[in-house]
Amino acid sequence: ANPPVGGVQLDTDDDGKGDICEECPNDANPGDQGCPISVVTIKTDPAVTAEQRRVHVEDMVVTAVGSNGFWSQLDPATPGYTSVNDTCIFSFVGAAAKPAIGDKVDIDGTASLFFEQAQLGSLTFTVQASNVPVAPTVIEDANIVDAVADGARSPIEGCLIQLTNAEVINAAPDAGAGDSGNPRNEFE
């Protein structure tokens, strides 16, 4: 443990929280900011969403905005970026303000699952830059079958993708679990 030094608890990261009172004593997270974490860890470590951890994710580029939230993916220019897999996430904000497509944001939120989809909620975001381009990831026909079968657990779930030789077979499929209202802008 970290016993108090001279009657004062250690605060290694100088964020105003004592080391024994916080989850990330070596990473500053002042106020209610979450602990720094990669989006890949949120998407691949079930403990993060199961424990509904408060997290801080940086360098996310907004790729789509919906009525109740936005999708973002890790900026490919971020050091350590290796592939698009598991770098995309939905952020639920309800009726609150949303960033614009192309905004590069840092997000503080609570990681959770919604219909098996990892997402962030109870969040705030800070726009770091605007008009940041993200090229869609091209998905070949053979790989899309796997992505659809994996559903919310697909490593490209929530990512900006481009399909080659795609054919729409149903322009208005029945609503699924969690769907409401029309149009849903979904197709098969």
Side-chain angles (χ1 to χ4, degrees):
N2 292 320
V5 175
V8 177
Q9 191 179 127
L10 291 175
D11 183 9
T12 303
D13 56 16
D14 275 337
D15 62 3
K17 299 175 189 173
D19 288 359
I20 61 174
C21 298
E22 71 169 311
E23 292 182 40
C24 49
N26 295 314
D27 297 303
N29 61 324
D32 68 347
Q33 180 176 310
C35 288
I37 192 169
S38 75
V39 68
V40 173
T41 301
I42 295 169
K43 298 285 292 262
T44 60
D45 181 351
V48 176
T49 54
E51 296 168 6
Q52 296 189 352
R53 290 186 195 162
R54 188 83 181 148
V55 297
H56 176 79
V57 184
E58 296 183 342
D59 299 330
M60 302 298 291
V61 179
V62 177
T63 56
V65 178
S67 62
N68 64 353
F70 60 94
W71 289 262
S72 61
Q73 66 188 65
L74 185 62
D75 184 350
T78 300
Y81 180 93
T82 57
S83 89
V84 72
N85 287 350
D86 296 310
T87 65
C88 312
I89 197 160
F90 179 74
S91 295
F92 177 81
V93 297
K98 300 161 193 72
I101 293 173
D103 282 351
K104 183 174 180 176
V105 296
D106 293 346
I107 306 168
D108 281 291
T110 301
S112 64
L113 288 181
F114 183 76
F115 288 95
E116 298 304 312
Q117 174 196 50
Q119 69 175 24
L120 299 175
S122 302
L123 64 90
T124 60
F125 62 87
T126 304
V127 176
Q128 300 296 341
S130 295
N131 301 312
V132 177
V134 172
T137 299
V138 177
I139 305 295
E140 301 299 327
D141 296 343
N143 296 331
I144 197 62
V145 173
D146 292 336
V148 170
D150 290 344
R153 293 291 182 200
S154 169
I156 60 168
E157 182 275 322
C159 296
L160 181 62
I161 63 170
Q162 176 181 331
L163 304 177
T164 58
N165 303 317
E167 179 182 338
V168 174
I169 58 172
N170 185 350
D174 292 335
D179 287 334
S180 63
N182 285 312
R184 290 184 313 280
N185 300 315
E186 296 177 2
F187 56 88
E188 296 173 337

